[in-house]
Amino acid sequence: MAELIGRYEVIRQLGEGGMAVVYLALDPAMKRQVAIKVLPRQFTHDSQFRARFSREAQVIASLEHSAIVPVYDFGESDEQPYIVMRYMPGGSLADRMAQGPLSAAEIASLFTRLAGALDIAHKHGIVHRDLKPANILFDQQGEPYLSDFGI
C-alpha cells in the first residue's frame, strides 16, 4: 500500500531542502499529480518552524498570479504539516542552466513573466527570500513559475 500524506498517495520524493521535503503524489479525489511540501519530523514540535511553514502556505495561497506556483491545500498528517501545490514536471531553471546557456530571447521572456509575479508579491508586502534558479520551476508547456518563497 502506498504511503499517504493526508488523502494524497506518495509516488516518490522529488527533493529535500533545509526546511522541507517535497514529494510527488497523487490526489485521488481530483485524479491529478501534485507536489507536497512536508515539514521534516525534527521540526514538527518546534513552534517557530511550524508557524513559518503555516505562514508560507497562507502567503503563497493569497498571491494570485499566473507565474506563482498555486497552493491547492494545507493540512497536517500524523503531526506533520504539509502544503499541496501544483506539480511542475518541467524541472527547474537550474536544470536548464546545467544543459547550457539560455538565449537572450529566453532570458528576456523569463524575466518578463517572473517580474510580474514579483511585482504582485511586493505589492502585498511579500519579499521572495530565496530567489534562485532552483526555485524557478517550469510546467509541462515550459512556462516558468516562482516557487519556495523562503518565508
Side-chain angles (χ1 to χ4, degrees):
M1 183 168 182
E3 178 186 356
L4 295 176
I5 298 174
R7 74 172 191 244
Y8 306 95
E9 300 169 7
V10 174
I11 297 169
R12 64 182 166 87
Q13 184 174 321
L14 292 172
E16 186 172 356
M19 282 276 304
V21 179
V22 180
Y23 297 97
L24 173 63
L26 175 68
D27 179 346
M30 300 301 289
K31 307 278 190 254
R32 67 178 171 194
Q33 290 184 333
V34 295
I36 302 180
K37 185 175 186 176
V38 179
L39 185 66
R41 290 220 180 268
Q42 66 262 31
F43 300 126
T44 58
H45 299 292
D46 185 315
S47 60
Q48 183 179 6
F49 279 104
R50 289 179 73 92
R52 286 177 63 191
F53 196 79
S54 176
R55 188 169 51 249
E56 179 177 356
Q58 293 168 350
V59 165
I60 296 170
S62 73
L63 295 176
E64 295 284 332
H65 192 277
S66 62
I68 296 174
V69 176
V71 170
Y72 294 149
D73 193 10
F74 176 74
E76 191 172 301
S77 178
D78 194 25
E79 297 185 5
Q80 277 188 289
Y82 62 86
I83 302 169
V84 180
M85 300 167 287
R86 182 175 172 193
Y87 171 54
M88 296 286 154
S92 71
L93 180 57
D95 298 332
R96 291 203 179 175
M97 291 171 62
Q99 297 171 6
L102 289 103
S103 71
E106 290 172 312
I107 294 168
S109 175
L110 183 78
F111 276 98
T112 298
R113 180 167 161 81
L114 297 180
L118 288 170
D119 188 47
I120 289 293
H122 294 167
K123 285 180 179 172
H124 284 87
I126 299 161
V127 175
H128 194 302
R129 295 175 182 248
D130 200 15
L131 189 56
K132 61 186 179 185
N135 289 337
I136 296 171
L137 304 177
F138 294 90
D139 67 10
Q140 59 272 27
Q141 286 81 35
E143 292 295 323
Y145 290 76
L146 292 177
S147 72
D148 198 355
F149 276 66
I151 300 161

